[in-house]
Amino acid sequence: MECTICKNGNTEKGHVTVKLEKGGTILLIKEVPADVCTNCGHYYLSSEMTKLVLEKGKEAFDKGAELEVVKLQVA
Ligand SMILES: [Zn+2]
């Protein structure tokens, strides 16, 4: 699909590292499947992936870890 940020590139299927920050907690979620713009690098997550990412985020934030790095397990 066409990138809505730069309007100059198209997205390709790929994997990205999503960074979430809340309070003193930083969470990095690796290998999240996403559509990535070949021009500006902006990524788009599906609603399903967004849900998974936010669930992972909640786990880490509840634990109160300062820095957590996880790999997304996709069935
Ligand atoms: Zn773009």
Side-chain angles (χ1 to χ4, degrees), residues 3 5-9 37 39-42 44:
C3 177
I5 301 298
C6 66
K7 301 193 192 306
N8 212 359
C37 176
N39 184 53
C40 70
H42 186 82
Y44 299 86

Side-chain angles (χ1 to χ4, degrees), residues 1-3 9-17 31-39 41-49 74:
M1 76 186 190
E2 189 186 90
C3 177
N10 281 297
T11 58
E12 272 182 7
K13 294 254 175 267
H15 290 83
V16 296
T17 299
E31 296 185 23
V32 180
D35 290 318
V36 187
C37 176
T38 53
N39 184 53
H42 186 82
Y43 61 81
Y44 299 86
L45 300 180
S46 65
S47 56
E48 191 189 349
M49 281 309 139
V74 182

Side-chain angles (χ1 to χ4, degrees), residues 16-36:
V16 296
T17 299
V18 176
K19 185 182 171 197
L20 296 176
E21 246 183 297
K22 188 182 167 192
T25 301
I26 296 173
L27 173 66
L28 297 176
I29 306 170
K30 303 198 315 189
E31 296 185 23
V32 180
D35 290 318
V36 187

Side-chain angles (χ1 to χ4, degrees), residues 45-56:
L45 300 180
S46 65
S47 56
E48 191 189 349
M49 281 309 139
T50 304
K51 213 178 115 194
L52 276 173
V53 162
L54 291 178
E55 275 172 20
K56 287 275 176 205

